[in-house]
Every structure is written in C-alpha cells, then in structure tokens.
Amino acid sequence: MNSKTQPVDFRREVPHGDTHERDVCATCGFVNYVNPKIVTGSIVRHVGRILLCRRAIEPRIGFWTLPAGFMELGETAEQAAMREAREEANAAIVIDRLLAVYTIPRIAQVQIMYLAHLGGNDFSAGPESLEVMLAGWDEIPWEELAFPSVRWALEQYRSVEGSADFAPFSNPPGEYGDPKPL
Amino acid sequence: MNSKTQPVDFRREVPHGDTHERDVCATCGFVNYVNPKIVTGSIVRHVGRILLCRRAIEPRIGFWTLPAGFMELGETAEQAAMREAREEANAAIVIDRLLAVYTIPRIAQVQIMYLAHLGGNDFSAGPESLEVMLAGWDEIPWEELAFPSVRWALEQYRSVEGSADFAPFSNPPGEYGDPKPL
C-alpha cells in the first residue's frame, strides 16, 4: 500500500498540548481539527427596499432569504458577502458596514451579516434562487423567511434604520436559531 | 479491507452543483470542504488599562498578544472569547460589544474581536502565557506585539475610546496581515 492509499484510522483523543478531544489518526498522527464554519451575507438596500432571494436549493427551498453563504478560502469576509450577492442575485453590491455577528451552535455556524447597497440597478435570480425581489418593510414575507437569523437581521436593522453609528448586533437574547417546538 | 481502513483517495474536482474545486474522495465521494477558521478574542479593560498576554507558545513565542484563539464547536463566538481569556489569563471577563471583524486571507482566518472588561480583580498567566499584565496606553509594548491584528485592534479601539456607539472595524485599508517585507 503506497502513501496515497494509507488508511485513515481516527480515534478520539486529546492531542499533546491541546485541551479538547479531536479525531487523531492512529496511523500517522494527523489531527483533524473541526471548527465552526463562517457564513457571510448582507442586507442589500436600494431606494428604501431590501433585496430578498427565494431559495432554489435545500435546505428551506422556496423560502425567502438574504444573499448569504459559506465563506471560501482566499477571500475576505466582505469579499465573500459580495460574491454571494453576485451568485444568488446577479447583484453588484457595495458593503457599507457590519450589522451583526450571530452564532448558531447547533450547526456550528458563525454568520457575519453586513449592511450593503446595490451598486447599480441590475439584479436577477442566480442559479440558487427561484426569484429575487426588492421588498419594502410591508412587503417582507415574514412568515416565509428561510431561517431565524434572516428575521433577526431584518428586525435588528429596522430598529436602527437611518442611524449610521450603532453597536453591531449579536443573537437576540436566548435565541440560538434552534427549530421552534411544535 | 474493511470500511474502517477504506483508503482515502482525494482528487481535486468541482462537486455536482458546486462552484469551487474541492478535495473529493474517488472511492466514496466524500467532499472535504475546507473553509476559513474563526479566531475570537477581546480587548479586556480594567480601570483604564488593557490585559495583555506574553505568548508561551509558537508562533511568536515571547511576544505580546490579546487573549484570543480558535473557536470550538458547541460555543457561541462570545463564549469562545470568554474561554480564551480564562485559559490564557485566568480571567473572568464580561463581553461589552463587538469591536472588529478582520480577515487574514493568507492563513484563512477570520478574527472576531470584542470589547470586554474584567469581571473581578483576578488574573494571572495561564499555561499558554509567560506573563500577563494590565497596560496603560503608554505601557503597551508596540514593538513587541505578536501579530498585526493585535496592533489594529488596539489602535482602532484607542480611536473610539470613551464612545459607546460606533461602527465596528474591519482590516485597515490595504492591510491583510501579511509579514512586512524586509
């Protein structure tokens, strides 16, 4: 067996000098560090309205969300948010400031949400969206939002709309994005 | 060969429905998503001074840093920052607000930096620190800081010290935490 097909034989143990249990390969000692993943997204404004995307993919297909997705290697958090708006809504956006940092521990996600605005007038549904729209406050489909953090971001932004300097938000008190009990 | 020792045979390819090349196992189809990792830390204040730790570990052993480290699964970003202050400086801290979100693309890190204060009077060097101190502005060892983002956080905080509401910071313009050319 050559090195390319060396078997991986993970055991749970605390590596030397570490404080947490990890998956450590008993064959070669490789430590598989698993850490939370980063989602970046934005509230994109345009003449008093907000860009929303109806999801064409699971999870929550058919529900409305903000342009957001997993950050990739080799980009900044701001560049990742800009890329997501381009991919999901064919929108060139300008990042204005950070709105919020949320954690969803159950799925090990940190969500970094920016305030942004459209750089032009163009937008349309990208391959991950069924449709996109610019919604006024009274047009937001509150009952059809894809994720709790979409609601958090919209409500928190609404509470400071018009002011430039405010402390960024975190999870609403006691909320961790868990599914609502039936 | 049983399933436990199934060989891993990663090839670089774009998985179905994806937009980026990943390591995909040719044997089982497993996609090894590698994303940026999150560091959380804080500027911890106490009677006008700031908690600094001198590193007992590489990288940058012997240099001064803020209590910070890799976020783990199952905790919020704020809890991660509190844990790091406990581990590195035996300090119970209270998170006040978010100061900044930095990206260091070269090492694929997003650094989430909070403002905090000491919950009591106790602090001391933890196992990852050679020593800890509470430094006034004129006592900060600017030439002996461990990382560019430590300087960014301190300088940006100094620029807003005393105000409660301000937009959080990002990387200083054009700075990405790369080593300075000699």
Side-chain angles (χ1 to χ4, degrees):
Chain A
M1 182 175 288
N2 61 31
S3 65
K4 197 175 176 189
T5 55
Q6 191 77 7
V8 177
D9 183 15
F10 283 127
R11 316 281 171 90
R12 292 296 287 179
E13 59 181 72
V14 178
H16 178 71
D18 201 337
T19 53
H20 287 67
E21 268 197 352
R22 317 282 180 187
D23 287 327
V24 180
C25 177
T27 304
C28 70
F30 172 77
V31 182
N32 187 31
Y33 286 98
V34 180
N35 297 87
K37 290 197 196 305
I38 303 166
V39 165
T40 60
S42 46
I43 289 187
V44 180
R45 288 93 46 96
H46 187 67
V47 289
R49 291 162 177 268
I50 290 168
L51 185 65
L52 294 177
C53 306
R54 200 154 74 84
R55 291 174 63 82
I57 53 172
E58 293 290 358
R60 301 288 278 163
I61 189 169
F63 287 80
W64 291 90
T65 191
L66 299 165
F70 287 107
M71 185 176 169
E72 300 282 354
L73 300 181
E75 61 188 2
T76 67
E78 290 89 344
Q79 288 167 345
M82 294 167 69
R83 176 181 50 76
E84 291 294 339
R86 199 166 56 238
E87 289 178 358
E88 298 181 2
N90 294 311
I93 68 169
V94 178
I95 303 286
D96 295 312
R97 56 156 285 165
L98 185 65
L99 173 71
V101 174
Y102 306 125
T103 309
I104 318 292
R106 176 179 51 87
I107 52 174
Q109 270 186 20
V110 169
Q111 302 186 350
I112 301 176
M113 302 299 295
Y114 293 94
L115 287 178
H117 64 271
L118 273 186
N121 290 310
D122 295 339
F123 63 96
S124 59
E128 295 182 6
S129 302
L130 295 171
E131 58 178 313
V132 292
M133 69 166 164
L134 283 172
W137 286 117
D138 55 356
E139 296 161 327
I140 289 174
W142 296 100
E143 302 304 316
E144 293 169 50
L145 297 180
F147 308 109
S149 57
V150 174
R151 179 174 50 78
W152 302 345
L154 289 169
E155 290 179 346
Q156 290 172 343
Y157 168 56
R158 191 175 194 178
S159 75
V160 293
E161 196 186 9
S163 52
D165 287 340
F166 54 88
F169 294 94
S170 179
N171 293 32
E175 292 201 46
Y176 296 96
D178 293 321
K180 285 206 179 104
L182 295 174
Chain B
M1 184 175 288
N2 63 31
S3 65
K4 196 175 176 188
T5 54
Q6 191 77 7
V8 177
D9 184 15
F10 284 128
R11 316 280 171 93
R12 292 295 290 178
E13 59 182 72
V14 178
H16 178 70
D18 201 338
T19 53
H20 287 67
E21 269 199 352
R22 317 284 180 184
D23 287 326
V24 180
C25 177
T27 305
C28 71
F30 172 77
V31 182
N32 187 32
Y33 287 98
V34 179
N35 298 86
K37 291 197 194 305
I38 303 166
V39 165
T40 60
S42 46
I43 288 187
V44 181
R45 289 89 52 94
H46 187 67
V47 290
R49 291 162 179 269
I50 290 168
L51 185 65
L52 295 177
C53 307
R54 200 153 75 85
R55 291 175 63 83
I57 54 173
E58 293 291 357
R60 302 288 278 164
I61 188 169
F63 287 80
W64 291 90
T65 191
L66 299 165
F70 286 107
M71 185 175 171
E72 300 282 353
L73 300 181
E75 61 187 3
T76 66
E78 290 89 345
Q79 288 166 345
M82 295 168 69
R83 177 181 50 72
E84 291 293 341
R86 201 165 56 240
E87 289 178 359
E88 297 181 1
N90 294 309
I93 68 168
V94 179
I95 303 286
D96 296 311
R97 59 156 283 166
L98 186 66
L99 172 70
V101 174
Y102 306 125
T103 309
I104 319 289
R106 175 178 51 88
I107 51 174
Q109 270 186 19
V110 169
Q111 301 187 350
I112 300 176
M113 301 301 295
Y114 292 94
L115 287 178
H117 64 271
L118 273 186
N121 291 309
D122 295 340
F123 64 94
S124 58
E128 295 181 5
S129 303
L130 295 171
E131 58 179 313
V132 291
M133 69 166 165
L134 283 172
W137 286 117
D138 54 356
E139 295 160 328
I140 289 174
W142 295 100
E143 301 304 315
E144 294 169 49
L145 297 180
F147 307 110
S149 58
V150 174
R151 177 175 52 80
W152 301 345
L154 289 168
E155 290 179 346
Q156 290 172 342
Y157 169 54
R158 192 175 193 179
S159 75
V160 292
E161 197 186 9
S163 53
D165 287 339
F166 54 89
F169 294 93
S170 180
N171 293 31
E175 292 202 44
Y176 295 96
D178 293 321
K180 287 208 178 97
L182 293 176

